Amino acid sequence: MPRRMVSFTGGRGKNRWALALGCLALSCSSAVDRGFPSPPQRSVHAQPEALTRAIADWHEDENIEPLAEYVAAHPDAELGVWREVVALQRYDACGASRTDVHGLRTVLHEFPDTIAGRIAGATLMGDGLSRLRAEIPGPLLVDFLAGGDAWTRDLEGRPQIATADAERVRSEEESDLRSQLAAALLRDGCEATMGYCAWWLSRYPGDADTAGIAAAATKTWYRRGHPSWRGNEHARCALRCAKHCKAQAKPLDDSCYQPCYARC
């Protein structure tokens, strides 16, 4: 399941303003004194009138759009706290019960240096890991173990996790996920997972679990070639299918034996 989202922007405008300032302060170690945020420094220049109006709209009427438009139109201005406010509002709009993945991806890409952007990235990463663990074995996990990045992309193939974060997760999770795959293959005995067993044997010939998986695959091929009713044409046909398909076996492809055996 995707990682649970946390709401940041509940409450009226004044509470949101205080929370945004606190979040910004906590994100910068120089602005924290025993856990209490330092007050924002006043600029020596007057605040632009458009920004003042936008802040008033958000603070008094909870209308974030003028402030969001101002932040978007001034990417080079010193608007750190207001970027945080807009990013937190955008993150909160992604929903807590039914997560808007597209919205989270937008927050991550548009506000990567904000608290909301970092948490959006963590939420998306948790979603990707959940998909990896949801079906073991499965094509997504095999792609991950083979070095692929399908787990970092949405269903349309668009990236939703930063490359650096994905590499960190790979280094932390790869060993555990590989062990889970091996355990699943051994539990099944390569009965319904023969294609994955063939992939494992070709990719990890020296792994500690490889001998057990190889033995399980050998036993399954034997059972396929020696059904309980031996000695008749049916059994001889099954043996021919097992010998042929074992010789033709390819990683992730176990499509040979069952159609052949069905004709026996």
Side-chain angles (χ1 to χ4, degrees):
M1 296 292 292
R3 186 174 302 181
R4 178 177 296 179
M5 292 181 58
V6 178
S7 177
F8 286 92
T9 54
R12 297 293 300 176
K14 291 184 179 180
N15 291 334
R16 298 183 181 189
W17 161 239
L19 180 57
L21 283 177
C23 289
L24 179 62
L26 289 173
S27 69
C28 304
S29 59
S30 61
V32 178
D33 179 16
R34 295 184 179 274
F36 294 94
S38 300
Q41 298 297 316
R42 293 184 179 275
S43 171
V44 295
H45 303 290
Q47 183 170 271
E49 183 178 351
L51 177 57
T52 301
R53 291 198 302 270
I55 294 170
D57 283 343
W58 169 72
H59 191 64
E60 297 172 6
D61 301 324
E62 300 189 30
N63 181 9
I64 195 67
E65 294 309 319
L67 184 57
E69 292 172 3
Y70 187 93
V71 169
H74 299 82
D76 299 324
E78 295 183 4
L79 299 170
V81 68
W82 302 118
R83 279 177 54 78
E84 293 283 351
V85 168
V86 173
L88 288 168
Q89 186 80 12
R90 293 293 190 243
Y91 172 88
D92 212 46
C94 293
S97 59
R98 186 172 184 179
T99 304
D100 176 7
V101 174
H102 175 73
L104 288 176
R105 188 170 58 248
T106 299
V107 172
L108 174 61
H109 289 174
E110 293 186 3
F111 305 97
D113 56 336
T114 65
I115 292 171
R118 291 191 289 273
I119 296 175
T123 304
L124 290 168
M125 189 183 304
D127 178 68
L129 280 171
S130 295
R131 289 190 294 123
L132 276 177
R133 297 178 184 277
E135 188 176 346
I136 298 177
L140 196 65
L141 177 57
V142 166
D143 179 81
F144 173 87
L145 294 175
D149 65 353
W151 75 280
T152 70
R153 300 177 178 275
D154 63 17
L155 297 179
E156 285 74 41
R158 295 170 297 194
Q160 60 184 32
I161 298 174
T163 301
D165 291 335
E167 289 306 313
R168 176 176 59 79
V169 169
R170 181 181 300 281
S171 66
E172 294 174 352
E173 302 287 341
E174 183 173 5
S175 177
D176 180 57
L177 287 169
R178 188 171 74 180
S179 295
Q180 290 188 47
L181 174 58
L185 298 179
L186 291 169
R187 283 195 304 271
D188 177 68
C190 298
E191 188 67 46
T193 57
M194 181 63 78
Y196 290 100
C197 287
W199 179 84
W200 179 282
L201 295 174
S202 67
R203 182 165 181 84
Y204 302 117
D207 191 270
D209 290 310
T210 296
I213 293 172
T218 298
K219 289 180 180 178
T220 295
W221 279 117
Y222 182 86
R223 287 195 300 271
R224 288 179 174 185
H226 297 80
S228 57
W229 46 86
R230 303 180 187 181
N232 55 25
E233 183 58 30
H234 188 100
R236 288 191 291 271
C237 177
L239 182 59
R240 288 195 299 270
C241 287
K243 287 183 176 180
H244 170 74
C245 292
K246 183 179 181 180
Q248 301 295 319
K250 297 178 182 179
L252 304 180
D253 183 6
D254 189 32
S255 61
C256 176
Y257 178 77
Q258 288 301 332
C260 180
Y261 180 62
R263 293 191 295 268
C264 292

